[in-house]
Amino acid sequence: MIIMVGISRILSLILLVSSCIFINLSTVPAAATSERKFTWEISYQYKSLDCYKKLAVAINGMTPGPTISAEQGDTIVVDVINNLLMENVAIHWHGIRQRGTRWSDGTDGVTQCAIMPGETYKYTFVVDRAGTFMYHSHYGLQREAGLYGLINVSLPIGVSEPFNYDFDRGIILSDWFHHSAYQHATGLSSITFQWVGEPQSLLINGRGNYSCSGLAASVCNSTNPECLPSALTVISGKTYRLRIASLTSLSALSFQIEDHEMTVVEAEGQYVEPFVVKNLYIYSGETYSVLVKANQDSSRNYWTSINVISRQPKTPNGLAIFNYYPNHFHKFPSTNPPLGPLWNDTRSQIIQSRSIKARQGFVVTPPKKPDRVIVLLNTQNTIDGYIRWSLNNVSHTLPSTPLLIAMKENITDVFDPNPPPEDYDSANYDIYSVPSNTNSVSSSSIYRLEFNSTVDIILQNSNSMTENVSESHPWHLHGHDFWVLGFGEGKFNLSRDNQSYNLVDPIMKNTVPLHPYGWTALRFKADNPGVWLFHCHIEAHFYLGMLVVFESGVEKVGDIPMSNYGCGKTKA
Amino acid sequence: MIIMVGISRILSLILLVSSCIFINLSTVPAAATSERKFTWEISYQYKSLDCYKKLAVAINGMTPGPTISAEQGDTIVVDVINNLLMENVAIHWHGIRQRGTRWSDGTDGVTQCAIMPGETYKYTFVVDRAGTFMYHSHYGLQREAGLYGLINVSLPIGVSEPFNYDFDRGIILSDWFHHSAYQHATGLSSITFQWVGEPQSLLINGRGNYSCSGLAASVCNSTNPECLPSALTVISGKTYRLRIASLTSLSALSFQIEDHEMTVVEAEGQYVEPFVVKNLYIYSGETYSVLVKANQDSSRNYWTSINVISRQPKTPNGLAIFNYYPNHFHKFPSTNPPLGPLWNDTRSQIIQSRSIKARQGFVVTPPKKPDRVIVLLNTQNTIDGYIRWSLNNVSHTLPSTPLLIAMKENITDVFDPNPPPEDYDSANYDIYSVPSNTNSVSSSSIYRLEFNSTVDIILQNSNSMTENVSESHPWHLHGHDFWVLGFGEGKFNLSRDNQSYNLVDPIMKNTVPLHPYGWTALRFKADNPGVWLFHCHIEAHFYLGMLVVFESGVEKVGDIPMSNYGCGKTKA
């Protein structure tokens, strides 16, 4: 009898501990629309996320950072205290459109001066719709140092999702370099270009497992409990909503759970017409909700795995445990973890991209025609011998004066006033070959969009500077969602390919992949006054110029808080 | 004949190359008082200063940085471009009093907001007297990452030094950690305190030689020419003025040249009554000129060495080659390098400190009496479990708003308005024991000094938190020179020990050691309007609170340049 009680207690404890390991998003807020306040201290901390001990940028000692759980309509207030000694910080609330709070977008060089060591900055914004979002550093290469987390916005009490589930869990996917962001950046901006190599590990909820062989235990200890695989504990027969976010610095991923199918139901705050997958392709900056039913053999655990796609993988798959209660949450399945799909099966990636459509009953119909079409050829280039990435042969730079302040206040000489190119020489450009001339130019020019106009963006991929290599690029738009009109292979042809656009039930998203040698067509309404980044979410590509800036209706932006000032030309 | 010419050319080349290896300060400016402009780009670079490859903070790709050579009265203009990606920078011109340019002192938290990445900041100041000075980062622990160099100010043409020499050479001494400044700082501010360990190497002109055994050649390569010992090439019979500066992060040093005596003639811009030494004790932040005659066997080279003193050495001695032309400058002497004095021979260190007096004919007599005496007990402490250093039980902090701006503009709530303590309970404090209660308090309080008043500072050392350990502390005053009135062993007794003050020919300096278990008495006139740091020059001690701030006549400070603003409470 005593023994029985003991076991029961242990099992309860296991259940409690294991649910804590997976980030728990199921807390339903008690009150309606309210203000939720957080105080975050940012500091360097030694972490052994994949058993290898290195410095990480942590929030209140944690990486990934704490999940923000809120209800639609809530105001979020985050006091960010920078304790990084010599390094600044800025935090972007990825997927939050910042309507009415343009200055809170957290993008260094665009909406604010970075927060200096010793300073406290207050982010205030409204989470105006339910869904799965994320936050992360938008400063230098600081995201890859570990500054990221999840934002989970629930519906108001009394409003139901158009699908059913029993529990809600957050899953953060990331990749992990053993080099510091400074080492990474120094290599990227060296002649000759020095690549630090692929990430050492893939992490699921901040846990990976690097092979420590040959390293001192003080540096890498594979028995460190910090790097035990994370576990998602489930109860047989129940349905789980997994809110999955990719915060990778570099890697595109496929996510799968051994022997379990997933139904995709949400993408970045929009309901998806449900479809079933065995693996979910997910690109950096994307979030999805999938439903998983715990309908397999409950006497054992199963593997969850992630693997690198659309880039020759040199990083081992990341693993976690799909734990059927009451099995021990750290009991490794005796089966082999799922390997995931072939990294270069681009066709299947495009098929999944095309499958993501707005859910019937929740379709927001796009305008029939755009007012303007901007075609962006994505290329890898050189400028004075340095490797860069460019759009229509322009590699973009951000000034040290935030553009939102500069444009609203007419501070001169901050950016190039000449408009950047809206197209490239499509007829004569061979997207399948290494360009014979890789030279490009650097510019701080801006696309100025008529307020409330409808803009189409055609992203066109090409061969990189390496033969037979075209990298995928996850493009992310700040301040807006766009309609995803289509994906294609090869070179986009406006008069032909716009016939294939999905104008019936396109999903609205803020991040979308551009597939190797392919094109992606987007449409958005420039209806959010401000200055907004649109960029590749691979941190190194962004650092090397793979971004554009959109301005629209900046004169309508209200008073920018003084705390956003202080750098570049915004000193007293 | 052809062979002879060939050899002669090779020898000339060797001479040329080897003089370049030691920093050459002998260039005499052609014009009288003028403006000297420099543009410095600060960036992270991979360096192998001691054969071990790591990131360093470099100026125009160099560490140590370029020497500033100027003539007395020149205006120096340095445009500092911060290309550190995420890290700020501030540069202090150590020994330059900044009369009339208080805002150019380069101290983060005191005179300016640190320079953010992407920004350019212009330092402008006059080098108003001849001598040997230095510059270095005054931001976080950035100095130890390699941001430092020499300032050599020569007399106006036609004015002679009171001693003779043939050539002039700069020698920068430093210590070198393989850890990053972020790793160092994270350890220092952890519970429990984590010390990264002693520096891996001592460097002479940026070169050391770490034992690479067991490390991959890509990480540490002992045949890398970057870490060949530096060479000082001399011609037999000539006299050399060595301008020696210690930029160590931690280590107090002894400097010696095998079989050669040195005559000390200058300290920090003041002439020293000449005295001869076999080894020169030099503390972080100090500069000296010594004369060395190349009067030994010219058929061979000799060793130059530095060794750690006043702290149990765990870092191997640093070595360079004293190269008699025409021997090859990289031919190692077959003799053993001088070991230097015993690390704990405190008595001999005090004797040398007392030997440094103003040169006859150049004595500036100090005021006979002080208007105020401030006694500062130096202790190692804990606050909430964190290790700190304190003065009279106060561990000082700097605000994120520069004090010079805050005090001049009456910006409130930036610092603690209560004055810090001027003394400690001398009668009851046992300086020879680990304190029973190590608790201390943190404060941003300021010593406000009447303008033009004469202030005595008594630095009192004590036992650290480790039994039988009292560390030496090199104290550095910004904006002023002080008279060095005396050094003593044990506990200072005002009524007894002020009788021993040297009021006849005390040297004026800006940096002075406080010896283990000893005291040091200083006097200065608060005649430079502004806000000025006085602090231990050991970077980690400064970081942990071993500093005080002096304000005097801040209302007389002219308009502070707008470029100093932008952080803390000085935003637009």
Side-chain angles (χ1 to χ4, degrees):
Chain A
M1 185 63 177
I2 292 168
I3 292 169
M4 288 298 284
V5 171
I7 288 173
S8 157
R9 273 195 187 156
I10 289 167
L11 289 175
S12 308
L13 187 67
I14 288 171
L15 189 64
L16 184 72
V17 171
S18 61
S19 14
C20 291
I21 290 173
F22 259 68
I23 292 160
N24 193 328
L25 300 177
S26 61
T27 317
V28 177
T33 306
S34 64
E35 191 172 89
R36 289 174 196 267
K37 290 191 169 192
F38 303 90
T39 301
W40 286 359
E41 187 200 321
I42 315 297
S43 67
Y44 271 106
Q45 300 285 337
Y46 278 106
K47 293 289 174 188
S48 299
L49 301 188
D50 66 349
C51 307
Y52 181 91
K53 185 178 168 189
K54 63 160 283 198
L55 282 184
V57 175
I59 301 175
N60 297 342
M62 297 161 63
T63 172
T67 294
I68 293 181
S69 294
E71 189 179 310
Q72 183 178 306
D74 283 350
T75 298
I76 307 295
V77 180
V78 186
D79 281 324
V80 175
I81 304 165
N82 180 354
N83 276 340
L84 292 177
L85 178 64
M86 300 186 286
E87 184 173 314
N88 306 310
V89 67
I91 301 180
H92 171 56
W93 315 94
H94 183 118
I96 308 300
R97 290 167 297 180
Q98 304 290 353
R99 292 179 166 272
T101 53
R102 285 85 197 180
W103 40 80
S104 286
D105 194 46
T107 44
D108 168 64
V110 180
T111 59
Q112 71 167 105
C113 295
I115 310 160
M116 296 179 78
E119 291 184 347
T120 299
Y121 180 93
K122 191 185 289 294
Y123 287 100
T124 303
F125 55 89
V126 174
V127 287
D128 58 359
R129 61 203 163 128
T132 309
F133 308 101
M134 58 172 85
Y135 64 82
H136 59 77
S137 169
H138 216 298
Y139 190 63
L141 296 183
Q142 200 172 56
R143 190 177 87 219
E144 74 177 35
L147 207 175
Y148 45 72
L150 216 53
I151 302 173
N152 168 25
V153 184
S154 57
L155 285 166
I157 290 174
V159 182
S160 303
E161 306 278 4
F163 42 82
N164 296 314
Y165 55 94
D166 300 296
F167 300 103
D168 190 328
R169 296 280 187 273
I171 297 179
I172 295 177
L173 309 179
S174 54
D175 47 14
W176 197 239
F177 290 95
H178 291 177
H179 295 86
S180 74
Y182 291 97
Q183 292 175 313
H184 198 171
T186 304
L188 292 174
S189 43
S190 292
I191 292 180
T192 55
F193 185 82
Q194 290 169 33
W195 175 236
V196 294
E198 304 297 300
Q200 274 68 34
S201 299
L202 299 179
L203 309 182
I204 301 180
N205 279 343
R207 285 154 180 265
N209 200 283
Y210 183 71
S211 160
C212 289
S213 69
L215 293 170
S218 59
V219 174
C220 196
N221 178 0
S222 51
T223 65
N224 186 337
E226 233 189 291
C227 57
L228 277 171
S230 57
L232 171 63
T233 300
V234 296
I235 296 164
S236 186
K238 299 294 183 185
T239 298
Y240 290 82
R241 176 183 187 171
L242 308 184
R243 296 175 179 264
I244 308 171
S246 175
L247 269 308
T248 57
S249 172
L250 173 70
S251 314
L253 299 174
S254 172
F255 172 91
Q256 44 270 327
I257 305 169
E258 184 185 7
D259 292 350
H260 289 74
E261 291 185 331
M262 301 177 278
T263 305
V264 182
V265 292
E266 182 227 333
E268 300 158 25
Q270 306 285 350
Y271 293 124
V272 171
E273 180 65 20
F275 66 101
V276 175
V277 293
K278 292 200 162 168
N279 70 290
L280 177 75
Y281 292 116
I282 182 165
Y283 301 85
S284 180
E286 287 192 319
T287 62
Y288 290 101
S289 284
V290 299
L291 302 182
V292 180
K293 187 154 191 189
N295 58 4
Q296 297 298 308
D297 179 359
S298 66
S299 70
R300 52 163 287 199
N301 290 339
Y302 290 82
W303 287 110
T304 298
S305 81
I306 49 176
N307 62 291
V308 171
I309 56 158
S310 87
R311 182 175 178 94
Q312 178 110 48
K314 289 174 187 155
T315 308
N317 290 4
L319 297 176
I321 294 173
F322 195 79
N323 162 236
Y324 272 85
Y325 175 82
N327 300 289
H328 193 285
F329 59 96
H330 276 145
K331 184 164 168 42
F332 286 10
S334 57
T335 46
N336 288 324
L339 291 173
L342 287 176
W343 70 272
N344 55 358
D345 185 358
T346 306
R347 184 64 55 88
S348 89
Q349 297 165 30
I350 294 179
I351 288 170
Q352 194 172 103
S353 289
R354 286 178 177 150
S355 305
I356 303 163
K357 295 174 182 167
R359 187 179 183 113
Q360 293 308 309
F362 297 88
V363 175
V364 182
T365 309
K368 291 221 156 35
K369 298 268 177 206
D371 299 306
R372 184 170 170 185
V373 178
I374 298 172
V375 181
L376 297 174
L377 175 69
N378 290 227
T379 54
Q380 193 181 33
N381 297 85
T382 52
I383 297 181
D384 300 332
Y386 293 96
I387 297 280
R388 301 287 300 181
W389 287 89
S390 301
L391 292 317
N392 300 339
N393 221 39
V394 175
S395 186
H396 289 258
T397 58
L398 292 175
S400 59
T401 303
L403 286 164
L404 178 65
I405 301 175
M407 299 185 86
K408 181 168 154 49
E409 301 201 352
N410 292 313
I411 304 174
T412 52
D413 298 334
V414 167
F415 59 92
D416 180 353
N418 299 306
E422 311 239 332
D423 210 340
Y424 72 106
D425 182 7
S426 169
N428 295 304
Y429 193 93
D430 178 6
I431 64 162
Y432 292 105
S433 303
V434 173
S436 53
N437 179 356
T438 61
N439 286 329
S440 137
V441 295
S442 168
S443 172
S444 58
S445 56
I446 290 167
Y447 291 93
R448 306 196 73 152
L449 309 178
E450 194 179 334
F451 185 65
N452 262 334
S453 65
T454 300
V455 181
D456 277 11
I457 304 289
I458 315 297
L459 295 162
Q460 175 65 58
N461 216 335
S462 70
N463 203 103
S464 75
M465 284 170 53
T466 307
E467 265 185 58
N468 298 319
V469 170
S470 178
E471 299 190 26
S472 73
H473 302 286
W475 278 86
H476 170 58
L477 178 61
H478 290 226
H480 310 74
D481 288 347
F482 44 68
W483 290 275
V484 182
L485 301 185
F487 299 88
E489 294 171 273
K491 197 188 282 185
F492 179 82
N493 179 312
L494 186 59
S495 53
R496 178 194 66 211
D497 290 321
N498 67 4
Q499 306 299 315
S500 70
Y501 285 174
N502 175 8
L503 299 175
V504 178
D505 56 0
I507 188 75
M508 296 193 80
K509 290 179 102 258
N510 60 64
T511 307
V512 73
L514 172 60
H515 295 289
Y517 297 113
W519 57 262
T520 299
L522 316 172
R523 181 167 294 173
F524 74 101
K525 227 168 140 58
D527 59 358
N528 194 2
V531 184
W532 306 104
L533 272 180
F534 180 51
H535 64 97
C536 176
H537 211 257
I538 293 175
E539 212 170 12
H541 291 186
F542 173 70
Y543 174 65
L544 296 175
M546 204 164 204
L547 63 112
V548 299
V549 177
F550 293 132
E551 176 279 328
S552 179
V554 72
E555 68 286 352
K556 298 181 206 298
V557 172
D559 286 345
I560 300 167
M562 276 303 135
S563 50
N564 285 40
Y565 288 64
C567 57
K569 294 191 169 188
T570 70
K571 292 175 190 289
Chain B
M1 186 62 178
I2 292 168
I3 291 169
M4 289 297 284
V5 171
I7 287 173
S8 157
R9 273 194 187 155
I10 289 166
L11 290 177
S12 309
L13 187 67
I14 288 171
L15 189 63
L16 184 72
V17 171
S18 59
S19 14
C20 291
I21 290 172
F22 259 67
I23 292 160
N24 193 326
L25 301 177
S26 62
T27 319
V28 176
T33 305
S34 63
E35 192 172 270
R36 289 173 195 268
K37 290 190 168 192
F38 303 90
T39 302
W40 287 359
E41 188 200 321
I42 316 296
S43 67
Y44 270 105
Q45 301 285 336
Y46 278 106
K47 294 288 174 189
S48 299
L49 301 188
D50 66 348
C51 306
Y52 181 91
K53 186 179 169 188
K54 63 161 280 197
L55 281 185
V57 174
I59 301 175
N60 297 341
M62 297 160 62
T63 173
T67 294
I68 292 182
S69 294
E71 189 180 308
Q72 183 178 306
D74 283 351
T75 298
I76 307 295
V77 180
V78 186
D79 282 324
V80 175
I81 305 165
N82 181 354
N83 276 340
L84 291 177
L85 180 61
M86 299 185 287
E87 185 174 312
N88 306 310
V89 67
I91 300 181
H92 172 54
W93 316 93
H94 182 118
I96 309 301
R97 288 166 298 179
Q98 305 288 355
R99 291 181 166 271
T101 54
R102 285 85 197 181
W103 40 79
S104 285
D105 193 47
T107 42
D108 168 65
V110 180
T111 59
Q112 70 167 106
C113 296
I115 311 161
M116 296 180 79
E119 291 184 346
T120 299
Y121 180 92
K122 190 186 290 293
Y123 286 101
T124 304
F125 55 89
V126 174
V127 286
D128 57 1
R129 58 198 167 136
T132 308
F133 308 102
M134 57 171 88
Y135 64 83
H136 58 78
S137 169
H138 216 299
Y139 189 63
L141 296 184
Q142 200 172 55
R143 190 178 87 220
E144 74 175 35
L147 205 174
Y148 47 72
L150 217 52
I151 303 173
N152 168 23
V153 184
S154 57
L155 285 166
I157 290 175
V159 181
S160 303
E161 307 277 6
F163 44 80
N164 296 314
Y165 57 94
D166 300 297
F167 299 103
D168 191 327
R169 296 280 188 274
I171 298 180
I172 295 176
L173 310 179
S174 55
D175 46 14
W176 197 238
F177 290 94
H178 291 176
H179 294 86
S180 73
Y182 291 97
Q183 291 174 314
H184 198 169
T186 303
L188 293 175
S189 44
S190 291
I191 291 180
T192 57
F193 185 81
Q194 289 169 33
W195 176 236
V196 294
E198 304 297 299
Q200 275 66 37
S201 299
L202 299 179
L203 309 182
I204 301 180
N205 279 342
R207 283 152 181 268
N209 200 283
Y210 182 72
S211 160
C212 289
S213 69
L215 294 169
S218 59
V219 174
C220 195
N221 178 0
S222 50
T223 65
N224 186 337
E226 233 188 290
C227 58
L228 277 171
S230 57
L232 171 64
T233 300
V234 296
I235 296 165
S236 184
K238 299 294 184 187
T239 298
Y240 291 81
R241 176 183 186 171
L242 308 185
R243 295 175 180 265
I244 308 172
S246 175
L247 269 310
T248 57
S249 174
L250 174 70
S251 313
L253 299 174
S254 172
F255 172 89
Q256 45 270 327
I257 306 169
E258 185 186 5
D259 292 348
H260 290 74
E261 290 184 331
M262 300 177 281
T263 304
V264 181
V265 292
E266 183 227 331
E268 300 157 26
Q270 306 284 349
Y271 293 124
V272 171
E273 179 66 19
F275 66 101
V276 175
V277 294
K278 291 199 163 170
N279 71 288
L280 177 76
Y281 292 115
I282 183 165
Y283 302 84
S284 181
E286 288 192 316
T287 62
Y288 290 100
S289 284
V290 298
L291 302 183
V292 181
K293 188 155 189 187
N295 58 5
Q296 296 299 306
D297 179 359
S298 67
S299 69
R300 54 162 286 199
N301 291 338
Y302 290 82
W303 287 109
T304 298
S305 81
I306 49 177
N307 62 290
V308 171
I309 56 158
S310 87
R311 185 176 174 92
Q312 178 110 48
K314 289 175 187 157
T315 308
N317 291 4
L319 298 175
I321 293 172
F322 195 78
N323 163 235
Y324 273 85
Y325 175 82
N327 300 288
H328 193 285
F329 60 96
H330 276 145
K331 186 165 169 40
F332 286 11
S334 57
T335 46
N336 288 325
L339 291 173
L342 287 176
W343 71 271
N344 55 357
D345 186 357
T346 307
R347 184 65 56 85
S348 90
Q349 296 166 32
I350 293 180
I351 288 171
Q352 194 172 104
S353 286
R354 287 177 177 153
S355 305
I356 303 162
K357 296 175 181 167
R359 188 179 181 113
Q360 294 309 308
F362 296 88
V363 175
V364 182
T365 309
K368 290 220 156 37
K369 297 267 176 206
D371 299 306
R372 183 170 171 186
V373 178
I374 298 172
V375 181
L376 297 174
L377 175 69
N378 290 228
T379 53
Q380 193 180 33
N381 298 85
T382 51
I383 298 181
D384 300 333
Y386 292 97
I387 297 280
R388 301 286 301 179
W389 287 89
S390 300
L391 291 319
N392 301 340
N393 220 39
V394 175
S395 186
H396 289 258
T397 58
L398 291 175
S400 60
T401 303
L403 287 166
L404 178 66
I405 301 175
M407 298 186 86
K408 183 170 151 49
E409 301 201 351
N410 293 314
I411 304 174
T412 52
D413 297 333
V414 167
F415 58 93
D416 180 352
N418 300 308
E422 312 238 334
D423 210 340
Y424 72 105
D425 183 7
S426 170
N428 294 306
Y429 193 92
D430 178 6
I431 65 162
Y432 292 105
S433 303
V434 173
S436 53
N437 179 355
T438 61
N439 286 331
S440 136
V441 295
S442 168
S443 172
S444 58
S445 55
I446 290 168
Y447 291 93
R448 307 196 74 151
L449 309 178
E450 194 179 335
F451 185 65
N452 261 333
S453 64
T454 300
V455 180
D456 277 11
I457 304 288
I458 314 299
L459 296 163
Q460 176 64 58
N461 216 335
S462 70
N463 202 104
S464 75
M465 283 169 54
T466 306
E467 264 185 57
N468 297 318
V469 170
S470 177
E471 298 191 27
S472 72
H473 302 286
W475 278 85
H476 170 58
L477 178 60
H478 290 227
H480 310 73
D481 288 346
F482 44 69
W483 288 276
V484 183
L485 301 186
F487 299 88
E489 294 170 271
K491 197 187 283 186
F492 179 81
N493 177 314
L494 186 59
S495 53
R496 177 193 66 206
D497 289 322
N498 66 3
Q499 306 300 315
S500 70
Y501 284 174
N502 175 6
L503 299 174
V504 178
D505 57 358
I507 189 75
M508 298 194 79
K509 290 178 102 259
N510 61 65
T511 307
V512 73
L514 171 61
H515 295 288
Y517 297 113
W519 57 262
T520 299
L522 316 172
R523 180 167 295 174
F524 74 101
K525 226 168 138 61
D527 59 357
N528 194 3
V531 184
W532 305 104
L533 272 181
F534 179 51
H535 64 96
C536 176
H537 211 258
I538 293 175
E539 213 170 12
H541 292 185
F542 173 70
Y543 173 66
L544 296 175
M546 205 166 202
L547 64 112
V548 299
V549 178
F550 294 132
E551 176 277 330
S552 179
V554 71
E555 68 286 352
K556 298 180 205 299
V557 172
D559 285 347
I560 300 167
M562 275 303 135
S563 50
N564 286 40
Y565 288 65
C567 56
K569 294 191 169 187
T570 71
K571 295 176 188 289

